[in-house]
Amino acid sequence: MGNNDYNSPTFKKLLDSLQQQSWELELIISGFAIFGLFTAYEPLRVEMLNAENEDQIYRFVVYFILNIACSILLFNLLLHVILRGLWIGSLGLRYVSGDIEFEKLRYSERFTKYLQKRIVSFDRYIANLENYCSVLFAISFLLIFYVLAMTMIILSIVFVASYVIEGDLFPKAFGSVFGAFLIIFIVIGMFLTFIDFITQGWLKKKKWISRLYFPIYWIFSFITLSFLYRPLVYNFLDNRFGKRLILLLAPIYIIILMITSLEYRQSNYLDKEQRSSTLFAKKENYLDMLTEEGDFPGQVVIPSKVITKPYLNVFVPFSENLEDRIFAYNDSLTPENDRRGLSSSIQINTNWSDQITSARQKDSIRKVYLKTFNEIYSFKIDTLEMDEDFIVTTGINNILGFETFLKISNLDEGKHILRLRRKRKEKDTVETRTDVILPFWYFKN
C-alpha cells in the first residue's frame, strides 16, 4: 500500500506528526503572506480606482474582488499572528511558572471559586488558544473562496442578462423568457444557499425540504465552485470551535465595515467630494494637482487653476460612457458586434490585403468618430462661445483621451469659468447641456 494512501497507518502517522508542528508552518506562511499583502494592497486599490475612473467594469470587478480578498486575509492573518504570539508567550510562561495556583493568590472564597470556574486551568487556556489559532488560519483562506462564490453568482446573473436576454445566442422572445427564468432561478438559489449557510445546514436536515433543495445545491456547487473547498467547510461545521469562530467573525466584519465607513463632517454645507463648479475647484480637474499615485483625472482636465499662457490646454479622458454617447448621437457608428470588454490581442491572419483594407476602413471610421465628438462637444468661457477641434491623444499617465487648445489671449485678467457643453439627441430634437464647470484664473506674463 502506497505512502500516500489515506487509509495507510504510515500516512496517518505522518499527518499526526505534521499536525503537531503545524504552528511553525502557520507562522512562516502568515509572515510571508502579510508582507506580500501589505505590498500588494495599495497597487490593487490604485488599479481598482483606475478601472472605476475609466468605466472598465470587468477590470473594476476583478480588482474589487482582489481588494476584498486582500483585506480579509490581512485582517485574519494579523489576528492569527497576534494569537499565535500570545500562545507562544503562554507556553514560555508555563515553562517558568507552571499552572495557576489559586491558593497562593489568597483571594476571598467567592473570587477563588469564580476564577476556578471560569479559567479552570492554564493548560486549558493554552489549548483553547491553539484551537482558535489553527481554525482561524484555515478559515482565512476559506473566506476567500466565499468571496469567489459570491462573485461567480453575480457574474452568472450578468452573463445571463448580457448574452441570453440581450445577446444573440437565442431568438429575442425565447431569450427574454428563458433569461428571466434563469435569473429568477439564480436569485432563489442564491437566497436558499445563503439561508443554508447562515443556519449551518438547516435545509439539509429536514427530509422533505432537503429533497427540493438537493438539485439547487448540486447546481450551485458548480456555480460557486464549492466542490473545490467542500471538505474544508464540513470539517469546520462538525467542529465546535469552527462554528463558534465563524459566528464570531461575521459580526466583527460588519463592525469593521461600519467603522471604516465613518467619517467626520467639518461643515454643514461644505464637502470636499463635490464636483467642480463656479464655487468649488476639485483637484481631479487640474493637472498640477494630480501628484499622488491614486489621483485620476476627472471629466475635464486643464493644466492649472492659474493660466499665464495665451492658450488653455484642455484634456477630456476617454471612457466607455463617452463612446455610448457618441453612438447615441450618431447611430451609424454603432458596430454590429461590440468589441469592448475582455479580448485577446493574438490574431492569426495571413491575408495581408485584408488587413490593409481593414486598417483603411478603421481610419475612415475614426475620422467620422472624431468629427462626431467635435460636433457633440464645445466650450464656453464665461459668456464667450469657444469651439475648437479635438484630436485623439494619450495624455496624463498614458490615459487615452481627447485634447484641444483654446485661445484665451483676448480674455481679461482675473477669474473665469470654463464650461464643457454637450449636445444630446432627444427624439427629434437636439438639446445642449453643460457637463462640467471649471473655475480658473488668467494672468498675462
Side-chain angles (χ1 to χ4, degrees):
M1 192 174 287
N3 289 335
N4 289 332
D5 183 1
Y6 66 91
N7 287 318
S8 167
T10 306
F11 188 68
K12 291 183 181 291
K13 187 177 180 181
L14 174 64
L15 289 180
D16 290 337
S17 175
L18 290 173
Q19 184 177 300
Q20 297 299 321
Q21 303 299 323
S22 64
W23 66 272
E24 297 175 352
L25 294 174
E26 288 177 16
L27 282 176
I28 292 171
I29 293 172
S30 292
F32 279 108
I34 289 170
F35 175 77
L37 290 168
F38 267 120
T39 305
Y41 183 81
E42 187 60 23
L44 286 175
R45 189 186 71 84
V46 170
E47 287 297 330
M48 182 184 73
L49 293 174
N50 189 18
E52 182 183 15
N53 185 70
E54 296 181 5
D55 294 327
Q56 296 178 349
I57 184 65
Y58 298 104
R59 274 184 62 207
F60 173 77
V61 169
V62 169
Y63 285 111
F64 180 69
I65 295 164
L66 289 175
N67 206 257
I68 291 177
C70 186
S71 302
I72 290 174
L73 273 178
L74 265 176
F75 172 78
N76 283 1
L77 292 179
L78 283 171
L79 182 60
H80 169 261
V81 168
I82 292 171
L83 291 179
R84 270 297 174 196
L86 185 60
W87 177 76
I88 293 170
S90 300
L91 286 176
L93 183 60
R94 183 184 183 278
Y95 175 76
V96 173
S97 182
D99 208 343
I100 302 173
E101 298 179 19
F102 293 99
E103 296 79 11
K104 289 186 177 181
L105 296 174
R106 293 190 293 181
Y107 291 156
S108 67
E109 185 179 353
R110 183 173 184 176
F111 274 99
T112 301
K113 287 182 177 180
Y114 175 79
L115 292 175
Q116 285 177 334
K117 183 180 178 181
R118 298 295 295 177
I119 298 175
V120 181
S121 72
F122 195 59
D123 287 355
R124 183 192 177 190
Y125 173 72
I126 293 175
N128 286 340
L129 276 178
E130 163 68 20
N131 288 331
Y132 280 118
C133 287
S134 297
V135 172
L136 180 63
F137 183 79
I139 207 173
S140 300
F141 296 94
L142 178 62
L143 287 171
I144 302 306
F145 283 110
Y146 284 147
V147 173
L148 181 62
M150 291 173 59
T151 305
M152 293 299 295
I153 292 173
I154 294 170
L155 289 179
S156 299
I157 295 174
V158 172
F159 177 84
V160 171
S162 301
Y163 293 97
V164 178
I165 297 178
E166 306 235 344
D168 299 325
L169 289 176
F170 302 100
K172 192 67 177 174
F174 176 77
S176 299
V177 175
F178 183 57
F181 169 77
L182 286 178
I183 287 180
I184 292 171
F185 174 78
I186 293 172
V187 170
I188 292 174
M190 177 180 64
F191 177 74
L192 291 176
T193 304
F194 179 71
I195 293 295
D196 189 60
F197 168 71
I198 61 174
T199 58
Q200 299 184 350
W202 183 81
L203 296 179
K204 300 186 189 79
K205 297 175 183 177
K206 303 299 178 180
K207 187 173 181 180
W208 65 275
I209 296 178
S210 65
R211 290 179 179 177
L212 298 174
Y213 177 61
F214 180 78
I216 296 174
Y217 169 80
W218 185 80
I219 293 172
F220 268 74
S221 69
F222 291 97
I223 294 177
T224 61
L225 305 179
S226 66
F227 60 88
L228 295 174
Y229 53 90
R230 189 182 293 139
L232 196 60
V233 174
Y234 291 111
N235 210 343
F236 272 119
L237 295 178
D238 72 355
N239 181 278
R240 183 169 59 92
F241 284 102
K243 284 184 177 181
R244 186 184 300 174
L245 199 59
I246 289 174
L247 293 174
L248 180 64
L249 284 174
I252 288 177
Y253 288 141
I254 295 172
I255 291 171
I256 291 173
L257 181 63
M258 292 177 64
I259 291 174
T260 54
S261 66
L262 294 176
E263 61 178 17
Y264 183 80
R265 293 189 179 274
Q266 296 175 300
S267 171
N268 288 295
Y269 305 105
L270 303 181
D271 181 9
K272 65 180 180 180
E273 296 302 324
Q274 61 186 309
R275 296 176 62 183
S276 291
S277 65
T278 56
L279 303 175
F280 183 76
K282 194 171 184 179
K283 66 181 292 186
E284 67 177 13
N285 300 117
Y286 302 95
L287 179 58
D288 61 350
M289 298 181 70
L290 302 177
T291 55
E292 299 178 11
E293 188 179 2
D295 291 339
F296 297 102
Q299 286 181 274
V300 174
V301 181
I302 60 176
S304 176
K305 290 177 187 173
V306 179
I307 306 297
T308 58
K309 296 178 180 178
Y311 58 86
L312 178 63
N313 177 216
V314 183
F315 180 75
V316 177
F318 174 81
S319 68
E320 288 190 21
N321 285 339
L322 192 150
E323 184 158 290
D324 290 335
R325 292 169 184 167
I326 292 174
F327 291 165
Y329 190 84
N330 185 353
D331 55 11
S332 66
L333 288 169
T334 306
E336 292 183 7
N337 297 315
D338 197 332
R339 298 172 58 197
R340 290 178 293 182
L342 296 176
S343 63
S344 174
S345 60
I346 300 174
Q347 294 182 355
I348 301 175
N349 190 350
T350 57
N351 194 328
W352 293 103
S353 62
D354 288 346
Q355 290 186 13
I356 293 170
T357 303
S358 176
R360 288 174 179 172
Q361 289 174 347
K362 286 181 180 179
D363 283 341
S364 63
I365 293 173
R366 287 188 184 110
K367 290 178 182 177
V368 178
Y369 188 102
L370 187 57
K371 182 180 178 183
T372 304
F373 180 86
N374 279 300
E375 186 179 343
I376 293 174
Y377 287 95
S378 62
F379 292 101
K380 199 174 185 180
I381 296 182
D382 301 329
T383 59
L384 183 64
E385 297 280 351
M386 312 282 291
D387 192 6
E388 296 293 333
D389 283 343
F390 284 90
I391 63 166
V392 182
T393 185
T394 47
I396 309 154
N397 296 328
N398 203 34
I399 293 174
L400 182 66
F402 303 87
E403 185 178 46
T404 191
F405 293 83
L406 306 178
K407 182 182 177 182
I408 58 173
S409 57
N410 57 340
L411 294 180
D412 295 332
E413 291 188 334
K415 180 184 175 184
H416 297 278
I417 303 296
L418 173 69
R419 287 177 171 85
L420 177 66
R421 308 175 75 200
R422 174 169 61 91
K423 292 180 182 177
R424 184 176 64 171
K425 284 187 177 179
E426 192 69 31
K427 295 182 180 179
D428 297 329
T429 61
V430 176
E431 62 177 24
T432 302
R433 56 173 292 177
T434 300
D435 266 8
V436 183
I437 299 174
L438 294 185
F440 71 94
W441 284 259
Y442 173 55
F443 296 101
K444 299 176 183 179
N445 279 330

